């Protein structure tokens, strides 16, 4: 384990109030468990099912600490397991509530998002390392049929404010995930089925089918007599592992779990039927689908589909290298659908990892855009802007009339922020600044914005042309994804985020120097009935920096002039009826 990993795992970030008191998040819950043989599999490694039980337990405790009432598991987000844990090691789990949301009126419950961080500790050496982290959604359940009125989360530390803000984007991804899968399956961008008749290495999917049943006993239930979500997830993991073993004829290693989504409850006395089957194989990994159905004791003929999940397994040979797998021949009908959906999930998973893992100090910074990753690119676009806006230690560089310019140097990166307040309604400011086709009216750094593709109501891709910094140089162009968000709740800002993407419809053009912007955008905050605070952020790149540092003072006076021009543009158009239409608050 690298030293940086150890120090990262051991680091405890403290927030200290002005009076010197140390801050502790009131919803934070910590758990340490010594891994015993009863928690392990035949290889002496911690059972993933046992880990899921511990994760669900501590997340529920954190949720109930804030709700002051019982909570039940609604879902558990994707989990990537970075390391395996062994008997004799210690698992340290920490959970806290990031944000509370109300659902739509039709549902009538309250959602809670809990961040779970898992660190493994070797008690003999004192070394620590990150195992995984996850986000769980819980529903608060009161004693009566009415709603539970939950108090809001008040983030205090910079880290909490970022998580509080980004929780909205994670919620958006959850809601769009199934739609993304369906769109991708119906498209031609995923792999086509191979000719199974000609392939010599094929395993029929039906040979991997597993069906087992569990009786829900009192030790499996919580204080409401509902089955622990962690227990159901553990049973599902066990069934999936058996199916995986039948396919690979080895002892598989679970690497990734797609989201667990609880569709209904089960109680003591119910029979839980678990069904698992290998959906598809991808040379070095394969996916197992598993579902859980509850047969209720008051009528054994009545069943409820309570959960589904998809788990990706690998097999390591004696040298620790990934083994290669044969093809899977799906069952006709639903098996073929699951086969295609597994390919779609793999593509989305790889796209998401690539988007999130891209380092902003490496080139190219832009990520290829296509329908399979549009949700995650939009999420990354907004999240990057929120993270940049939450950074501390901005240094005021200059003030001119209404404009203030700030700089920030961090990890060999340079950021700029321009801030001003305008006497224009925030919704009108949002609509005017969202229309990138008019940006050239106030920003001389942009000569032309051409709409390439309207992805949806909130995401648009533009081709941008900027004039040369000097007369001898070429003009520059950028391909930018513009993502906008209205507030999810009162007090949240309006956001317009920009980042570079690559698109086949907009290849590099001869005579233009292609530039890249990793992160830029506007954060708008309401300061009154008709008063808006505008903050514009941008991360400097070699292509952007010359526009900002043309003179000997380090920051060009052009930036101040552009901010003033923006203010004038907004004032002149504050009563204009905008073609983008009205703006309303997002769903809660």
């Amino acid at each position: 384990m690298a030293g940086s990993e150890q120090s990262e795992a051991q680091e405890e970030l403290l927030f200290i109030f002005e009076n010197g008191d140390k801050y502790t998040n009131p919803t934070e819950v910590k758990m340490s468990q010594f891994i015993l043989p009863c928690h392990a599999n035949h290889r002496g490694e911690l059972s993933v099912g046992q880990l899921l039980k511990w994760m669900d337990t501590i997340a529920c405790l954190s949720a109930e600490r804030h709700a002051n009432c019982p909570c039940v598991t609604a879902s558990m987000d994707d989990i990537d397991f970075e390391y395996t844990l062994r008997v004799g090691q210690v698992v340290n789990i920490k959970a806290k509530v990031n944000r509370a949301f109300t659902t739509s009126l039709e549902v009538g419950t309250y959602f809670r998002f809990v961040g779970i961080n898992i660190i493994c500790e070797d008690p003999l050496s004192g070394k620590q390392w990150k195992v995984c982290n996850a986000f769980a959604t819980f529903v608060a359940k009161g004693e009566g049929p009415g709603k539970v009125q939950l108090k809001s989360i008040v983030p205090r530390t910079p880290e909490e404010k970022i998580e509080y803000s980004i929780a909205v984007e994670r919620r958006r991804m959850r809601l769009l995930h199934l739609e993304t899968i369906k769109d991708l399956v119906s498209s031609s961008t995923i792999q086509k089925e191979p000719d199974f008749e000609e392939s010599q290495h094929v395993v029929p999917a039906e040979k991997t089918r597993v069906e087992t049943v569990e009786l829900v006993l009192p030790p499996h239930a919580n204080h409401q007599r509902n089955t622990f979500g962690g227990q159901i997830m553990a049973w599902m993991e066990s069934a999936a592992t058996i199916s995986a073993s039948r396919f690979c004829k080895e002892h598989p290693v679970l690497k990734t779990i797609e989201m667990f989504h609880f569709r209904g409850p089960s109680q003591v006395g119910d029979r839980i039927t678990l069904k698992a089957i290998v959906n598809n194989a991808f040379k070095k990994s394969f996916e197992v689908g598993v579902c859980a159905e509850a047969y209720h004791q008051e009528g054994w003929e009545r069943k409820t589909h309570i959960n589904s999940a998809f788990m990706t397994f690998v097999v390591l040979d004696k040298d620790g290298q990934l083994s290669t797998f044969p093809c899977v021949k799906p069952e006709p009908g639903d098996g073929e659908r699951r086969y295609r959906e597994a390919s779609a999930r793999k593509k989305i998973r790889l796209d998401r990892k690539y988007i999130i893992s891209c380092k902003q100090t490496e080139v190219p910074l832009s990520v290829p855009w296509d329908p399979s990753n549009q949700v995650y690119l939009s999420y990354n676009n907004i999240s990057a802007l929120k993270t940049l806006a939450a950074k501390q230690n901005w240094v005021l560089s200059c003030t001119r009339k209404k404009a203030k310019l700030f700089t920030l140097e961090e990890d060999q990166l340079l950021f700029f922020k321009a801030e001003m307040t305008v006497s224009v309604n925030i919704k009108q400011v949002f609509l005017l600044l969202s229309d990138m086709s008019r940006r050239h009216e106030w920003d001389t750094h942009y000569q032309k914005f051409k709409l390439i593709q309207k992805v949806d109501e909130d995401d648009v891709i533009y081709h941008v042309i900027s004039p040369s910094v000097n007369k001898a140089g070429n003009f520059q162009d950028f391909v930018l994804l513009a993502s906008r968000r209205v507030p999810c709740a009162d007090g949240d800002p309006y956001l317009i985020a920009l980042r570079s993407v690559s698109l086949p419809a907009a290849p590099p053009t001869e005579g233009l120097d292609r530039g890249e912007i990793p992160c830029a955008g506007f954060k708008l905050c309401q300061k009154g009935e008709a008063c808006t605070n505008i903050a514009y952020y941008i991360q400097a790149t070699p292509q952007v920096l010359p526009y900002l540092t043309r003179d000997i003072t380090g920051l060009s006076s052009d930036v101040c002039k552009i901010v003033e021009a923006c203010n004038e543009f907004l004032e002149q158009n504050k009563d204009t009826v905008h073609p983008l239409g009205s703006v309303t608050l997002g769903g809660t």
Side-chain angles (χ1 to χ4, degrees), residues 378-440:
S378 179
Y379 161 79
N380 183 263
N381 197 12
I382 294 292
S383 299
L385 177 60
K386 287 183 174 181
T387 302
L388 178 54
K391 288 184 181 295
Q392 306 294 304
N393 302 321
W394 289 94
V395 177
L396 179 63
S397 296
C398 64
T399 301
R400 174 168 168 169
K401 294 184 179 179
K402 291 188 175 183
K404 293 182 179 179
L405 297 181
F406 301 83
T407 59
L408 174 65
E409 296 182 55
E410 185 178 89
D411 298 330
Q412 298 182 337
L413 297 176
L414 179 61
F415 306 94
F416 295 91
K417 176 174 72 169
E419 197 170 55
M420 68 175 176
T421 300
V422 297
S423 300
V424 183
N425 179 273
I426 190 169
K427 293 183 179 181
Q428 183 70 357
V429 172
F430 180 67
L431 290 172
L432 289 168
L433 295 182
S434 294
D435 187 0
M436 296 296 170
S437 65
R438 300 191 64 180
R439 183 157 176 171
H440 67 279

Side-chain angles (χ1 to χ4, degrees), residues 34 68 117 143 208 321 346 373 401 500 515 526 574:
F34 198 78
N68 293 320
N117 188 42
E143 295 181 358
T208 70
Q321 301 299 312
K346 178 174 182 286
N373 66 14
K401 294 184 179 179
S500 288
Q526 188 165 342
K574 63 181 179 181

Side-chain angles (χ1 to χ4, degrees), residues 4 11 33 64 84 100-101 124 132 172 177-178 183 211 244 334 336 345 354 360 411 508 519 557 565:
S4 59
E11 184 178 8
Q33 294 284 353
E64 291 184 347
T84 56
F101 290 104
L124 300 182
C132 65
R172 176 187 173 92
H177 181 73
L178 289 179
D183 291 344
E211 185 168 340
D334 282 346
E336 294 172 346
R345 278 186 291 271
Y354 175 64
Q360 296 183 342
D411 298 330
C519 179
S557 60

Side-chain angles (χ1 to χ4, degrees), residues 90-319:
V90 176
V91 180
N92 299 310
I93 310 176
K94 182 170 67 174
K96 64 181 177 65
V97 177
N98 292 326
R99 185 160 183 163
F101 290 104
T102 59
T103 67
S104 61
L105 294 178
E106 290 78 10
V107 179
T109 56
Y110 286 76
F111 278 156
R112 314 182 45 74
F113 297 92
V114 183
I116 312 165
N117 188 42
I118 302 175
I119 301 295
C120 182
E121 175 186 345
D122 186 339
L124 300 182
S125 65
K127 292 182 178 179
Q128 297 184 9
W129 57 95
K130 177 182 174 182
V131 177
C132 65
N133 68 288
F135 296 94
T137 304
F138 280 80
V139 178
K141 294 288 187 179
E143 295 181 358
K147 295 181 179 180
V148 177
Q149 186 62 49
L150 298 175
K151 58 186 177 183
S152 300
I153 294 294
V154 180
R156 297 294 185 89
T157 70
E159 292 77 15
E160 287 179 3
K161 291 176 181 178
I162 292 174
E163 289 298 331
Y164 177 88
S165 181
I166 296 178
V168 179
E169 290 305 301
R170 285 194 291 266
R171 180 174 184 267
R172 176 187 173 92
M173 283 205 302
R174 292 182 189 101
L175 298 176
L176 294 176
H177 181 73
L178 289 179
E179 183 179 338
T180 303
I181 293 288
K182 291 178 182 178
D183 291 344
L184 189 55
V185 169
S186 64
S187 72
S188 59
T189 59
I190 61 175
Q191 69 179 55
K192 296 182 179 180
E193 298 179 20
D195 189 342
F196 297 110
E197 300 300 327
E198 296 182 1
S199 178
Q200 297 179 352
H201 302 287
V202 175
V203 176
E206 58 264 24
K207 289 189 176 182
T208 70
R209 181 176 292 279
V210 172
E211 185 168 340
T212 185
V213 64
E214 298 283 354
L215 173 63
V216 181
L217 299 173
H220 303 141
N222 59 20
H223 43 295
Q224 303 174 79
R225 289 179 58 83
N226 290 325
T227 315
F228 272 120
Q231 180 62 71
I232 294 175
M233 291 188 285
W235 284 335
M236 294 173 71
E237 183 270 335
S238 178
T241 301
I242 296 172
S243 175
S245 300
R246 291 180 177 177
F247 171 69
C248 64
K249 309 300 182 186
E250 296 282 353
H251 298 302
V253 177
L254 179 57
K255 295 299 291 182
T256 301
I257 300 177
E258 300 283 336
M259 179 188 294
F260 286 104
H261 179 71
F262 288 88
R263 293 173 168 82
S266 62
Q267 297 181 325
V268 171
D270 289 352
R271 270 66 170 172
I272 307 295
T273 299
L274 303 142
K275 300 177 181 179
I277 192 171
V278 174
N279 291 331
N280 205 338
F282 311 105
K283 192 173 181 180
K284 299 291 186 180
S285 65
F286 59 96
E287 181 193 275
V288 178
V290 58
C291 71
E293 297 174 335
Y295 287 82
H296 304 289
Q297 56 183 331
E298 64 271 14
W300 295 118
E301 73 283 352
R302 186 170 68 88
K303 69 176 181 180
T304 303
H305 180 195
I306 59 174
N307 207 328
S308 292
F310 304 95
M311 307 185 188
T312 301
F313 290 85
V314 299
V315 171
L316 303 177
D317 62 22
K318 60 181 180 180
D319 298 321

